[in-house]
Amino acid sequence: MASTSFPSLATYTSFLMNIKSNLLRAVLLTSLLSFVAPCLLICGGLTSFYFISLFPILQAVGHSGADLMLQFLATFGDGRPCEGFLVIGSTFALVGALFEFYAYYLSPRSS
């Protein structure tokens, strides 16, 4: 009769810690990138409206576009555009982390 050898508890624990550290690293990176992406988009929009407003013919378009973006941000920030900026970035980071957990849950596990 052949005896089966089971992995030791230390091997099993190191395997679980490796999975947890890989998952934690992936979730943190995804959250960071998901936070930065909308922030760069908003900053890019505001910067482009600033540069548009430097042309005398398009000055009204640039100012009104920047004002509309700031009003949009103020909607999410309880009247403060900076707070709205952070709320949108944080929400995207949370959604990115949730998608990462979902992808990890659905991924096939190697044996």
Side-chain angles (χ1 to χ4, degrees), residues 30-106:
T30 303
S31 297
L32 178 69
L33 292 176
S34 296
F35 180 84
V36 168
C39 294
L40 287 177
L41 185 66
I42 292 168
C43 288
L46 287 172
T47 304
S48 65
F49 282 127
Y50 170 74
F51 283 122
I52 288 172
S53 70
L54 292 178
F55 295 105
I57 297 172
L58 300 172
Q59 190 172 17
V61 173
H63 286 302
S64 65
D67 287 339
L68 286 173
M69 281 191 75
L70 291 174
Q71 286 176 3
F72 174 77
L73 291 173
T75 301
F76 292 102
D78 197 27
R80 292 178 289 243
C82 187
E83 190 175 320
F85 182 77
L86 293 175
V87 165
I88 290 173
S90 300
T91 304
F92 273 65
L94 177 66
V95 170
L98 289 174
F99 276 131
E100 184 64 35
F101 279 120
Y102 181 69
Y104 176 78
Y105 174 73
L106 290 182

